[in-house]
Structure formats: structure tokens, C-alpha cells
Amino acid sequence: MTLRDLIERKRDGGHITAEEWRDFTRDLAAGALADYQVSALLMAIYFRGLDDDETVALMEGMLHSGRTLDLRHLTVGRVDKHSTGGVGDKVSLILAPLVAACGVAVPMMSGRGLGHTGGTLDKLESIPGFDTRLTLERAAAQVERLGCALIGQTGEIAPADKRLYAMRDATGTVEAIPLIAASIMSKKLAESLTGLVLDVKTGAGAFLPELDDSLRLAATMIGLGARHDCPVVALLTNMDSPLGEACGNANEVEESIATLKNGGPTDLRELTLRLGAEMLVLGRAAPSAAVARGLLEGALASGAALERFREIVAAQGGDPRVCDAPAAVLPQPPVREPWTAPRDGVVLRIEPRTVGRGITAMGGGRSTMEERIDPSVGFRITTRPGDRVKRGEVLATIEARDAASAAAGRAALDAAITIGDSAPPPIPLVSHRVSASGVELLG
Ligand code: URA
């Protein structure tokens, strides 16, 4: 069977067998397939979709195209969290050390920012010296010792996914639910997890803004996890406005440290606790979400979570003094300018995509995987939808590298923040919980 046959079959709505997917992913990882044919197959999948068996076979082919982080000898639960990506979403930086401090191993594999969304690896690398490119052996040893490693997808893990993802990015075929689910799960299952918590963003700034798509993605990933004894729980969470105040890279590290010191913005802390509670229950460190929440709050209040973060930073080559004096260690923006309310009224919207694109325009994000970013730039948006504000009141700070970058940031905030006359209806931070037992609507 040639790749041309598979393209034609999928184009016409046919089924590709498990054996054919296995051969495809093997050849893809080996670099033996022509990009133009893989691209054509991707576009056929985008329009025709994959059935459940095809999704499983593609995911398994990508999983087995590389090595795995073998942690099966650990006696504690091994749970990771995956977010579909947002603006100001620095939850992983807080959650990983916090959950590890509560006794669940967190082999956390994260990504880089692309488009309007930020990436955990970029944020971590704003800490001088921090190395996210650990070998699998070093990552495993660190998880054994500290309960956590914060790493990126190396060429060793799911290399077929790495190639396919790059091609999807270049061909406008990222937003296909079976491809997204297979891609994420091939990497997560390579961490030999006993549980996975998904943070599926919904709303204006989400990768998949429609609720039905979010529910379908959650259900597909739950199904893939179930085939590998990895229970998956998904929380659908609000990305209609940025999470927390800091949006950028270094400033998000600073806000994460403030949260690990038992402070931080309320929405960021609350979402971290909700996701963390699911992780502790899946990792069998707590019998219920209520007990788990108590453990997490205790680890924030006692300083145990911050100490774990300090140990992880030091183990990965970063400067641990960032925990004591973040502003002295992290790169700082040369220019800081206030953004003030243009009129009296109520904040209606803080449009996350516009904020995220503003960070990219200032030099703090990337439009292609090859671009370098400036970690010092971004925004601190101290207002929230629903706040009553006065003309001239400072609602945000633009953190820029020069006057041109500040002007780009100002234009983005002018477009992103809308002030009107009456308060918008409140949107719940967590709207749904999805597990193998079904969908729960939350308040
Ligand atoms: N993240 C991934 O790893 N893969 C996708 O397809 C989308 C987001």
C-alpha cells in the first residue's frame, strides 16, 4: 500500500487500518515520507476525520515511534496536567511543584508558545540557566528524587508526532480533534502516567472556542487514556479573559512564585487548586477533592510547594535565588508604561487573543517555531471584566523593550480592553467536569 493509496482512501471517506497507521508513523519518524504527501493526507483527515479505531492506531503509532519515560517502578501515582493553551496561563509552574510536594509524581512535559498562546518552556527558560532539555534518564532520576521534572518533548519522545505537528502547523490542519487528541496523548502516555488531568480552555481565547468541540476533545482523550489504563479527567475552564495579571514570560514566572508564596491573583490560585485536587485524587494521595484541596492549601501555606520549586529550579540548572528575589534574577523590561481607562464605566472584555498577539508584536511570542523571544516583555493587567473603573485609572502596565514595542503593546490593549456601561454576566472559572462517568455541569 502506498501513501498515495491512503490519501485517496481518506479523501473519499474510507478507513485506514491499524497496520497501515503503524507503517505510516514508523516511516514518518524515519523521515522516509514526502512532506507534500503527508500534507495531503493531513488535509484529507482534516475534512474527513478519523474514527475511534483510527485515532487509537495513530496515537499508538506515534507513541511507539520513540522511547518512553519509564517510571513504572515508582510506588506513588504519576499524574500530569495538560492545558490546551491560553493567555496568562502559568498554572503548570505552580501546579507541578505543589502536587509533587503533596506526594504525587509529576513528570511534566510542556510545550512552547505559538500564535497567541504562551508556553511553559519559554516561561521557565526566562529563569537564567534553566534547562528544559533533559535526557529521559536525567528526567526519570529527577522525578524519583524530587517528584517532578519540567521538560520539553525531546527528539526521543513520539518523534512521529513531532514531525506531524510541525507539518500540521504549516498546513492549517492543527484544529482537527482526532489529530489533537492523538498528538497530546501520544506524548502524555510516553510518560507512563497513572492519570492525566486536562484543562480544556473554552471561550474567546481558546484554541477551540466552541463548547461542543471542547467536550468532544475531552471525550476523545478520555477514550484514548482508558485503553492504556490512564484515567483522564477534564475540566473545561474559562479563557474569555487572560488568567491572572501577568501575561508574558518572565513576569509570569514572578506571578507564579507569588502564588507559590500563598499569594497571587484569585483566579490563578483557584484554578491551580481545582486542577491540583483532581491530580491528587487520580494519584491516590487523597480520597476526595475536598481532602486534596486541604493538602494543597497546606503545602502553599507552609512553604513546602515553594521549596519544591526551588529544588527543581536548582536541579535543572536555574538560579534558585529567583524564589527569593524574582525581580533581581529575571530579565526586566527597559520600558514600563501605564495603560489607563479611556472613560468611566465597567470593564466588559479583555480579549485574550488580542492580548496574546500583542505580546508577540512586542517580541515576547513567536509566529514560527524558529523565532527567538524576548522574555522580559508583556503586560500586567490588573483589572477584570465586571470592574467599575474611572477615566484615567491605571488598569494595566505595558512592559516593553523600547518605544516601538511599547506602542505595539498599547495598540493591543486599546483593542483588547472594552469598557461599557453595564456589567457583563459573570462567567464561571470552571464550567464542566468530564470523566469516564460522563459530563457534570458546574456552577
Ligand atoms: N498540543 C499538542 O501537543 N498537539 C496538538 O495537536 C495540539 C496541542
Side-chain angles (χ1 to χ4, degrees):
M1 204 58 61
T2 67
L3 188 46
R4 185 194 159 123
D5 295 321
L6 301 192
I7 296 166
E8 287 177 351
R9 201 181 323 144
K10 189 43 76 182
R11 180 198 65 195
D12 298 338
H15 174 90
I16 297 177
T17 67
E19 202 185 345
E20 287 166 336
W21 283 117
R22 201 191 50 221
D23 294 348
F24 169 75
T25 47
R26 183 200 56 216
D27 294 347
L28 185 64
L33 300 179
D35 285 2
Y36 54 84
Q37 286 192 301
V38 177
S39 307
L41 181 63
L42 284 170
M43 195 54 84
I45 296 171
Y46 182 88
F47 284 112
R48 290 293 191 172
L50 297 179
D51 64 28
D52 288 352
D53 290 341
E54 288 178 299
T55 310
V56 170
L58 172 62
M59 188 279 286
E60 288 185 348
M62 296 199 292
L63 166 63
H64 297 303
S65 69
R67 295 177 61 208
T68 56
L69 184 60
D70 193 355
L71 299 168
R72 284 172 299 176
H73 56 287
L74 297 185
T75 51
V76 293
R78 308 175 296 272
V79 183
D80 194 0
K81 185 267 312 183
H82 178 87
S83 157
T84 56
V87 178
D89 182 4
K90 69 278 293 171
V91 165
S92 292
L93 278 72
I94 309 155
L95 191 61
L98 173 59
V99 169
C102 293
V104 171
V106 187
M108 188 172 270
M109 201 187 310
S110 304
R112 294 195 181 277
L114 188 63
H116 72 283
T117 63
T120 300
L121 298 182
D122 296 323
K123 293 169 200 183
L124 287 167
E125 287 173 1
S126 60
I127 303 172
F130 198 101
D131 184 6
T132 58
R133 279 166 296 196
L134 306 190
T135 60
L136 290 178
E137 287 69 24
R138 200 175 139 199
Q142 188 176 310
V143 175
E144 212 166 293
R145 187 166 72 82
L146 296 177
C148 178
L150 299 169
I151 59 170
Q153 181 186 13
T154 63
E156 295 175 299
I157 294 177
D161 168 67
K162 209 169 180 183
R163 280 179 176 268
L164 207 61
Y165 191 77
M167 257 179 273
R168 288 166 58 205
D169 188 39
T171 56
T173 52
V174 168
E175 288 92 351
I177 286 171
L179 292 178
I180 299 171
S183 165
I184 295 170
M185 292 305 285
S186 69
K187 290 173 291 227
K188 294 297 169 186
L189 292 173
E191 300 171 358
S192 51
L193 298 179
T194 58
L196 174 66
V197 175
L198 287 176
D199 178 358
V200 183
K201 304 289 186 193
T202 58
F207 186 41
L208 296 173
E210 298 301 325
L211 177 64
D212 279 0
D213 288 340
S214 301
L215 289 171
R216 243 175 352 113
L217 178 65
T220 308
M221 291 176 61
I222 289 166
L224 291 173
R227 304 245 194 163
H228 283 256
D229 289 331
C230 175
V232 177
V233 172
L235 297 184
L236 269 54
T237 75
N238 172 28
M239 187 36 71
D240 265 304
S241 54
L243 187 64
E245 296 182 357
C247 301
N249 288 285
N251 63 5
E252 293 200 30
V253 174
E254 195 169 336
E255 189 164 277
S256 302
I257 291 169
T259 309
L260 283 165
K261 286 181 176 163
N262 213 19
T266 317
D267 58 349
L268 175 62
R269 176 183 165 94
E270 180 60 23
L271 183 56
T272 305
L273 290 172
R274 299 280 283 266
L275 293 164
E278 299 288 353
M279 290 174 78
L280 291 198
V281 173
L282 277 178
R284 299 191 192 290
S288 68
V291 173
R293 193 175 169 111
L295 294 174
L296 295 163
E297 286 172 342
L300 287 173
S302 69
L306 179 70
E307 277 321 297
R308 193 58 64 99
F309 184 66
R310 185 195 303 277
E311 289 172 318
I312 295 164
V313 170
Q316 296 193 220
D319 185 345
R321 288 172 303 176
V322 73
C323 296
D324 310 308
V329 172
L330 294 166
Q332 295 299 304
V335 177
R336 280 196 170 90
E337 290 183 3
W339 188 90
T340 57
R343 53 166 281 193
D344 288 1
V346 182
V347 177
L348 295 184
R349 253 191 314 281
I350 306 172
E351 216 288 308
R353 274 177 199 263
T354 313
V355 172
R357 288 186 187 129
I359 298 169
T360 304
M362 284 197 287
R366 58 171 75 75
S367 333
T368 67
M369 267 338 227
E370 288 70 41
E371 271 174 58
R372 285 178 68 84
I373 62 160
D374 180 343
S376 73
V377 307
F379 303 109
R380 282 177 203 260
I381 304 175
T382 42
T383 193
R384 286 280 172 281
D387 285 354
R388 198 156 274 290
V389 297
K390 287 256 167 258
R391 181 166 190 260
E393 190 179 329
V394 176
L395 303 187
T397 304
I398 301 161
E399 301 181 329
R401 55 180 169 197
D402 53 30
S405 138
R410 181 170 299 283
L413 289 190
D414 289 348
I417 304 180
T418 311
I419 297 174
D421 296 318
S422 50
I427 301 176
L429 184 62
V430 183
S431 63
H432 298 74
R433 179 180 186 276
V434 192
S435 67
S437 325
V439 181
E440 283 168 69
L441 183 62
L442 307 172

